[in-house]
């Protein structure tokens, strides 16, 4: 239910989902809705539900990489970063088109503008502190409100385009 800020789970890596459940339960990722749910799950249940959801398909995404032309605030951050402020391009870790890489780097395209922006703001506000080595926190804290909105819209838009292919 992306427009309401709830993320897509089907097709997410099972290991990533299990890590998030652990982080919600410990409070490293603070969220009033998810914290009690995650805390109530046993390890077996967290494993079973993550494995079941990971089996679902993720939507088609246009895999735009670093070599593509970049126009506008969101696309420039996504494909070029802002190295003068030590912000690497998002696709360096999240993969071309933000499709996600392995178990540690989640997909961005396929999530809603609202969810992506809410996560960046959670890092900016200190509500989400579960990323290894502050990889995301140090990036999010350097972004302006306008940049958060633009880059969130950019990645959400890639899955919408991919869906039509
Ligand atoms: C240096 C590597 C790196 C770069 C560059 C990077 N990220 Fe991330 N990002 C991560 C990692 C690692 C996580 C997962 C953190 C965790 O374990 O919860 C993540 C998670 C996220 C999430 C949360 C997704 C979810 O479903 O939980 C969002 C949103 C996000 N990144 C947006 C961005 C944006 C936008 C950019 C570019 C401005 C960016 N990231 C650049 C490493 C990176």
């Amino acid at each position: 239910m992306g427009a309401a800020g709830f993320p897509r789970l089907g097709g997410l890596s099972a290991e990533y989902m299990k890590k998030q459940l652990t982080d919600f339960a410990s409070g490293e990722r603070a969220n009033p809705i998810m914290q009690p749910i995650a805390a109530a799950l046993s390890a077996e249940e967290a494993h079973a539900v993550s494995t079941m959801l990971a089996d679902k398909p993720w939507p088609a995404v246009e895999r735009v990489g670093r070599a593509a032309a970049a126009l506008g605030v969101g696309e420039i951050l996504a494909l070029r970063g802002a190295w003068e402020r030590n912000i690497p391009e998002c696709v360096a870790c999240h993969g071309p088109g933000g499709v996600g890489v392995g178990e540690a780097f989640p997909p961005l395209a396929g999530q809603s503008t609202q969810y992506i922006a809410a996560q960046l703001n959670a890092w900016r506000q200190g509500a989400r502190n579960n990323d290894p080595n502050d990889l995301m926190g140090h990036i999010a804290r350097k972004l302006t409100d306008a940049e958060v909105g633009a880059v969130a819209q950019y990645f959400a838009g890639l899955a919408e385009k991919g869906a039509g292919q």
Side-chain angles (χ1 to χ4, degrees), residues 52-79:
M52 186 275 273
L53 287 167
D55 248 8
K56 310 274 178 206
W58 194 263
V61 168
E62 194 181 352
R63 291 174 184 248
V64 185
R66 278 186 260 216
L71 295 172
V73 173
E75 193 167 36
I76 289 170
L77 270 175
L79 304 183

Side-chain angles (χ1 to χ4, degrees), residues 4-164:
F6 297 111
R8 183 185 301 277
L9 300 177
L12 214 53
S13 131
E15 288 306 316
Y16 185 74
M17 252 184 295
K18 276 194 276 181
K19 175 185 181 292
Q20 299 308 312
L21 288 170
T22 307
D23 296 344
F24 281 126
S26 74
E28 274 184 275
R29 184 173 175 183
N31 183 283
I33 301 172
M34 277 311 299
Q35 248 163 313
I37 298 173
L41 293 177
S42 69
E44 292 73 30
E45 287 170 329
H47 176 80
V49 75
S50 301
T51 313
M52 186 275 273
L53 287 167
D55 248 8
K56 310 274 178 206
W58 194 263
V61 168
E62 194 181 352
R63 291 174 184 248
V64 185
R66 278 186 260 216
L71 295 172
V73 173
E75 193 167 36
I76 289 170
L77 270 175
L79 304 183
R80 305 278 187 275
W83 283 96
E84 69 286 0
R85 287 182 284 152
N86 281 319
I87 303 177
E89 61 280 12
C90 316
V91 297
C93 291
H94 290 276
V99 293
V101 179
E103 295 165 352
F105 303 102
L108 302 177
Q111 300 294 11
S112 66
T113 307
Q114 289 82 347
Y115 178 72
I116 297 171
Q119 297 317 301
L120 293 171
N121 286 328
W123 269 301
R124 291 167 84 200
Q125 291 153 7
R128 188 168 173 174
N129 297 298
N130 66 330
D131 49 325
N133 303 319
D134 196 31
L135 280 180
M136 273 311 302
H138 92 93
I139 294 173
R141 286 191 299 274
K142 289 178 192 150
L143 299 177
T144 64
D145 288 340
E147 286 173 331
V148 166
V151 79
Q153 220 169 17
Y154 172 74
F155 280 112
L158 288 182
E160 284 157 20
K161 281 189 217 162

